Structures are given as structure tokens and as C-alpha cells.
Amino acid sequence: MRPSTVRFAAAAGLLLSVACSSSRPTPTGNNAPDAGLQQVPATGLEGCLLYTDGRQTGTVPRQVPELSGLAASQKHPGIFWGHNDSNNPFELFALDEAGAVKATLTLTGADPRDIEDVAVGPCAPGGKEACIFLSDTGDNFERRKEVRLFRLPEPAAVENATLPVETLLFTYEDGPHDAESLIVDGRSGQVGVLTKTRASLGDLYAVEGLKPGATGKARKLGTLRVPDDVDRLATAASLHPSGERLLVRTYTRVWELRRPDAKRLEDFVQAQVVEVPGASQAQSEAVTFLQDGRGYLLGSEFAGEPLVRVDCR
């Protein structure tokens, strides 16, 4: 969420800071990323058994000062799709892990309100073509009657272009929510969102009936919690290519939900939840598995902040 929102919440006092879920906890002591982290091996799962500590690969470029989401390209190895938060031009950037902007996509056909995350997956359930999805689901005060996803085919070339998007409206079955985490299952095309709440790591919803000209419905699958409820306020998520591991980022930590043989997103409601290496960043709002699933990349708002890559140990 934009820094101006954080400043507004602080100035307005405690009541508004509670209402506005974008206020950022300050990591201190045992709440700091990786403070005394003892990793749990991911036995029997595809991908890394253990992770390395994060290493800086570059910095957030000046073109994306409010980086709010990252997603590994499925067509172009080493490319990550990134975007700004609200009140910015409707653009999508092709970045490398160093933060170099390889292409800028100018998007048309919609007027975004608060884009919070990005994911790449099948354009439709069961389909083989890859699309990029952007989640216009930010809703600090939980007042929006409808929220939106934007969908466009993943470009065949990494080059500057102007491209139209399709708008996919949806509502929550139980009323408005703030959500900054988008999940698309690369196997099935199932779409999910994870809400941002002070009560838990987030409520997980499956979004169904998505198509242009219609209004889909977000159906609650369950609530995600970390051990002892020590962390909340999910800011980003990424599903492993195997579909058996789900990364969830908060302002202070990174969590991995593990469920062997997971077939659908609802399986993660009963998953093992473990902390994995994070990064010290000013406003931690982006995470994506690498294209091959053997590690992940962490991003932050503010130009010049480090981009941090975590690999298999």
C-alpha cells in the first residue's frame, strides 16, 4: 500500500490506523525477519529441501517506486512481471532480478483503483495459454461492492507494447474485504485471493465464475494461521509450480504453507505452516517463486530498496 496511506493513518490517530490495514508493524527483536530462524526441511516435496539466506541481486528501479507485486514469467526465463500500487499509470514492467526494466507494457481498457498483486497462470481453467492476472482488490476500509481482476495474454516477446486487458469482476460471498495476495494455480487455473486482516494470516477465497461481462463470486475456503498466531496482515502470495507449496509474505516475515499432494487451494487450509528466510526491506509487498520453483524473489516498495533472492541450500 502506498506510503501516503501509511502517513495518513498515523496522522489520523489510533482509530483510523486500526481501520486501515496498510499500517506497517516495525520489526524488532524476535519479530525481525530471520531472528533465530531454524528451518524445517521440506521433506517429500518438489523444490528446495532447505533454503539459503537471501542475497541481494539488485534494487527496485525508479520506474516502479511502489512495487506491490511480482510474478515470474512462464514464457521468458529470468523475467519477472512487476507493477506499481494505486495512483500510478496503468503499466506492467518486465524486470530481471537485478531490477533492470526490460520492457514496459502500457495497459488499456480499464481504470484501476488499487492494484495489489500479480500472478501468471492459465488464461482459463484447463487451458494451456498463459495469461497475466492483476488483482485490483485493495480495499482498506472494506467498502467496495465489487473488485476486479485484469487479464491479458502473456506477451510472446519482451518488448515495449500497448495492450488491452479484460476486466473480470467479482464479489465476496460474505461482504467486502481488503486483499493484497493473488494466487493462480498453474495446473488447474483455479484463482484465489487471500485477505489482509489483523485477525489472522488471512482468509482464503476461491474466485469462481470469472468471465468478461459477468460477476464472479469469491467463496471462502477457510482461515490461514501461523503457529501461535504470531503474524498477520498478508501482503503477497505465490503458489509453487507443483501446487504443493504456497508462499505468503507479511510486513515482517515469509511463511511457506506445505501440503503434499495438494490438488486445490482449499487443501492449504490444513497445511503445515513454517517460516522461511525473508529480507529486511522498507515495505515488504512482493514475493514470487522462481520459474522453476527452486527459490523465490522478494521485492519492496520504494525505488532503491533491495531485491532479494532466496535459493535452495
Side-chain angles (χ1 to χ4, degrees):
M1 188 49 54
R2 302 180 67 241
S4 59
T5 304
V6 180
R7 289 195 295 269
F8 172 80
L14 179 61
L15 181 59
L16 278 181
S17 69
V18 171
C20 177
S21 63
S22 66
S23 59
R24 174 179 178 263
T26 302
T28 57
N30 290 334
N31 291 323
D34 303 336
L37 177 62
Q38 297 293 321
Q39 292 192 54
V40 178
T43 305
L45 291 171
E46 184 177 329
C48 300
L49 179 65
L50 294 168
Y51 292 110
T52 63
D53 291 334
R55 60 180 177 88
Q56 182 173 346
T57 56
T59 58
V60 176
R62 59 176 178 79
Q63 295 95 325
V64 202
E66 296 180 21
L67 178 65
S68 189
L70 284 169
S73 169
Q74 297 304 299
K75 289 188 175 182
H76 310 291
I79 291 295
F80 301 88
W81 299 108
H83 64 88
N84 279 307
D85 206 330
S86 55
N87 297 321
N88 284 281
F90 194 15
E91 295 174 324
L92 187 63
F93 300 90
L95 312 173
D96 65 15
E97 66 178 23
V101 177
K102 299 300 184 179
T104 300
L105 303 183
T106 300
L107 305 180
T108 64
D111 183 16
R113 181 169 172 180
D114 192 357
I115 297 176
E116 291 291 357
D117 205 2
V118 59
V120 180
C123 296
K128 294 183 179 180
E129 291 299 315
C131 274
I132 302 170
F133 294 79
L134 292 158
S135 61
D136 184 2
T137 54
D139 189 10
N140 287 336
F141 296 99
E142 300 184 347
R143 295 173 178 170
R144 297 177 65 177
K145 294 181 180 180
E146 295 177 327
V147 288
R148 302 174 289 183
L149 302 182
F150 302 123
R151 180 177 65 190
L152 69 155
E154 185 168 21
V158 179
E159 59 187 16
N160 294 342
T162 298
L163 299 172
V165 300
E166 293 180 302
T167 298
L168 308 172
L169 295 171
F170 71 91
T171 62
Y172 295 92
E173 63 180 3
D174 53 356
H177 295 280
D178 187 23
E180 297 192 5
S181 304
L182 174 65
I183 306 162
V184 179
D185 191 332
R187 305 165 302 172
S188 66
Q190 185 183 24
V191 175
V193 293
L194 181 64
T195 65
K196 184 180 183 184
T197 171
R198 294 178 179 276
S200 66
L201 190 60
D203 292 324
L204 183 61
Y205 288 78
V207 187
E208 301 165 339
L210 289 170
K211 59 182 179 179
T215 301
K217 185 72 70 176
R219 174 175 57 88
K220 187 175 179 179
L221 304 177
T223 299
L224 305 185
R225 297 186 180 278
V226 305
D228 300 319
D229 277 334
V230 298
D231 203 6
R232 298 168 174 82
L233 296 171
T235 62
S238 181
L239 186 66
H240 191 272
S242 70
E244 298 179 344
R245 307 165 79 134
L246 176 67
L247 288 175
V248 177
R249 186 154 207 205
T250 69
Y251 287 119
T252 58
R253 301 182 186 185
V254 182
W255 300 92
E256 188 171 67
L257 283 70
R258 299 170 177 171
R259 182 67 188 268
D261 301 320
K263 303 301 182 185
R264 298 184 62 79
L265 295 181
E266 40 264 61
D267 294 332
F268 286 100
V269 176
Q270 300 297 327
Q272 179 189 30
V273 183
V274 301
E275 186 178 355
V276 294
S280 178
Q281 294 170 315
Q283 188 146 323
S284 307
E285 298 221 355
V287 64
T288 181
F289 274 110
L290 305 181
Q291 186 188 53
D292 63 3
R294 295 188 60 77
Y296 50 92
L297 188 69
L298 300 164
S300 170
E301 290 198 6
F302 303 116
E305 277 296 298
L307 292 171
V308 175
R309 174 170 168 161
V310 176
D311 291 290
C312 295
R313 183 184 295 182

